[in-house]
Amino acid sequence: MGRQPPPPRAPSVAGFVLRLARESASLTQARLGEALMVDVDTVQGWESGRRPLSNVKAGVLLELRRRLPALGAEPGIVAVLEAAMDADRVLAAGLGAVEGQVHPLAGWVHTRETAHLLSWALTGTTPPALAGRLPRLRRGPAATAPVLSAGQREAFFVHLRETTERAARHDEEGALLHRQALYLASYDHGPDAAAWTRAALHRGRDVLARRGFSPHWAGARSTATALARQGDPQPLLDFIDRALADDDTAEAANLNYWAYWVGAMSTPQPDDAFMTDRALAGWDPVTLLRGLARGLHVAPGYVDLYAHTLWALLVRFPWLPQAAGQIAGPLRVRTGQLLDGAELSARSRRELGRVHYGLDHNR
């Protein structure tokens, strides 16, 4: 028997983002290569994933990220390059391209940007940061998104399910890996996969019954939000009432997690320990308010988590409505719309009403 051909290479999320950045500056691959003093084959390798950007020397990568805006590339596209490289590391691990290393889902806490870019590759959902910036459809084989093939997607989700089950047997040592792998597994909406995910999430429902902050708080939060994505918002509503509201450490953990998730905290975190900082150091409240305002939506359960977090943020920093600047007006309108039309719990309606009043009162 002859040797089996290697599996097709997965699309490179970072390479696709680089292509978007290059095209936003109307640069050819050859012109970008000249500006960076590399040959066109190198640029082609970066964009195709044949030469992963995450493997290039730090100096070359730094020069690339600095030169692109100077050459006219949209800064907003360049800004997601790092998260795109994180997404590629996770995809590579899930497809067996990286072995013998710490799993990227166990090595650091991921941000919303990374999750959005992974969702792009797995489901085809355009990341909000790149909305309106995708290339127009054109003739030829050029892809319009770095979406995995059906076979690659299935292999990746099988890996996630196996990783989740292995990590669950390692207690605290595997807590971060288990939490993040299970959360990503909930992106698979196939009938069999969805049943597995629901069963895995419900096996962890005991952590949702715990009141206030505990060592399992971050896992409980991820479990509750993943169940909401699966169409069961009640655990998230219960989590807000039992394990978040009126507990100072839990309230601080929620704000710290959100700050990291939306990019208000720039320092990478190797584990969930940063959440317990009750001083709320290391992030900017205005940046967190901006991130919450941009992400606020009406998905069942999620709107209640947003409402409580906005309320808690303004309670902790009562000067925020005066400092909100251009954020305040749209957020005031949006909270008013939610109060008029969204299905909200009694707590969420009360807390969102106070947020709306604070924004309206300080116009």
Side-chain angles (χ1 to χ4, degrees):
M1 291 180 61
R3 295 181 62 184
Q4 293 293 321
R9 184 172 54 245
S12 170
V13 179
F16 199 89
V17 171
L18 175 60
R19 174 189 151 196
L20 292 179
R22 174 178 61 78
E23 292 182 346
S24 74
S26 300
L27 295 171
T28 64
Q29 291 176 330
R31 176 69 188 91
L32 179 59
E34 290 173 6
L36 298 172
M37 292 186 290
V38 299
D39 57 46
V40 68
D41 183 65
T42 296
V43 177
Q44 291 172 347
W46 290 341
E47 293 189 2
S48 68
R50 179 168 44 85
R51 296 182 176 183
L53 273 173
S54 57
N55 291 348
V56 305
K57 293 180 179 179
V60 176
L61 183 60
L62 181 62
E63 180 67 12
L64 174 65
R65 293 173 63 185
R66 286 178 173 173
R67 289 287 291 152
L68 279 168
L71 292 167
E74 286 192 43
I77 300 177
V78 179
V80 302
L81 260 178
E82 184 172 345
M85 288 187 286
D86 282 345
D88 279 339
R89 292 187 187 98
V90 175
L91 293 171
L95 295 173
V98 179
E99 297 180 356
Q101 300 179 14
V102 174
H103 196 290
L105 292 175
W108 70 94
V109 183
H110 290 280
T111 65
R112 180 170 65 179
E113 211 69 82
T114 302
H116 284 164
L117 290 161
L118 282 166
S119 178
W120 194 22
L122 295 168
T123 69
T125 303
T126 302
L130 297 178
R133 291 166 164 154
L134 299 188
R136 296 178 180 177
L137 292 174
R138 58 189 184 188
R139 294 180 180 178
T144 56
V147 180
L148 270 61
S149 69
Q152 290 168 334
R153 191 162 55 245
E154 175 60 24
F156 180 78
F157 281 123
V158 167
H159 165 82
L160 281 181
R161 292 192 286 272
E162 292 174 348
T163 299
T164 299
E165 291 172 351
R166 284 197 303 271
R169 297 192 288 268
H170 292 282
D171 299 323
E172 294 302 321
E173 184 180 336
L176 180 62
L177 177 58
H178 180 269
R179 176 173 76 76
Q180 298 196 130
L182 181 55
Y183 183 83
L184 283 177
S186 69
Y187 280 87
D188 189 353
H189 296 294
D192 294 339
W196 178 92
T197 304
R198 283 194 296 272
L201 290 167
H202 282 280
R203 281 197 298 271
R205 288 184 76 134
D206 62 312
V207 300
L208 295 175
R210 302 182 187 189
R211 293 192 174 274
F213 188 82
S214 77
H216 302 281
W217 185 90
R221 186 184 186 278
S222 289
T223 297
T225 53
L227 282 167
R229 180 185 295 111
Q230 293 284 321
D232 183 7
Q234 191 59 47
L236 185 52
L237 297 175
D238 293 340
F239 175 81
I240 294 170
D241 284 337
R242 296 174 185 167
L244 177 52
D246 305 320
D247 183 287
D248 291 344
T249 302
E251 294 283 18
N254 185 55
L255 291 174
N256 286 327
Y257 196 2
W258 271 110
Y260 185 79
W261 184 247
V262 305
M265 180 187 296
S266 59
T267 305
Q269 299 296 328
D271 53 44
D272 292 333
F274 75 97
M275 298 181 197
T276 59
D277 176 18
R278 291 176 60 173
L280 306 183
W283 51 269
D284 172 41
V286 176
T287 304
L288 175 53
L289 180 65
R290 184 179 299 114
L292 290 168
R294 289 175 177 171
L296 186 60
H297 56 79
V298 296
Y302 283 101
V303 66
D304 300 272
L305 184 58
Y306 273 95
H308 181 78
T309 305
L310 282 166
W311 170 81
L313 181 64
L314 267 61
V315 167
R316 186 63 184 264
F317 302 99
W319 47 264
L320 265 178
Q322 291 91 348
Q326 295 180 344
I327 311 169
L331 181 57
R332 178 177 53 80
V333 172
R334 184 65 177 137
T335 54
Q337 292 170 339
L338 290 172
L339 288 166
D340 287 340
E343 294 185 10
L344 299 168
S345 69
R347 174 188 291 278
S348 298
R349 186 165 296 281
R350 182 172 65 252
E351 292 175 345
L352 199 63
R354 291 175 182 172
V355 171
H356 182 76
Y357 174 81
L359 293 167
D360 194 51
H361 185 71
N362 288 282
R363 277 195 287 177

